[in-house]
Amino acid sequence: MVFIRDLVASLSQPVRRLRSFTRSTLGPGQSATLTFELGWKDLGFWDNQDHYAVEAGSFEVHVGGGLDHTQLVELRVS
């Protein structure tokens, strides 16, 4: 699962938004490489004037099997 957190949005946002996911069943000792693509639409939100906005600022991208088991990547949009 891939969750996005907007750290500095001008409007209140959910703490983490699920932006992508895939399911992969693995047996003991197995591993797999999964690929996710995120675009500008994954970083934005609808503002009070019904415009879709992507604001400059810091984001956290959490990748993992659940909210409690993720790896964190930080990203900055300018």
Side-chain angles (χ1 to χ4, degrees), residues 10-61:
S10 60
L11 295 176
S12 180
Q13 298 295 308
V15 174
R16 292 185 191 164
R17 295 180 290 159
L18 179 64
R19 304 319 291 164
S20 185
F21 70 94
T22 190
R23 183 179 177 105
S24 178
T25 303
L26 301 174
Q30 290 182 316
S31 65
T33 300
L34 305 174
T35 302
F36 298 93
E37 291 188 27
L38 297 174
W40 64 272
K41 289 183 180 180
D42 295 306
L43 301 176
F45 59 90
W46 291 97
D47 66 14
N48 290 333
Q49 288 77 40
D50 291 328
H51 295 111
Y52 199 75
V54 177
E55 298 178 332
S58 297
F59 293 82
E60 291 179 349
V61 180

Side-chain angles (χ1 to χ4, degrees), residues 2-5 38 43 59-63 70-75:
V2 178
F3 299 91
I4 300 286
R5 180 174 181 210
L38 297 174
L43 301 176
F59 293 82
E60 291 179 349
V61 180
H62 297 262
V63 180
T70 63
Q71 295 292 315
L72 172 66
V73 176
E74 296 183 17
L75 117 88

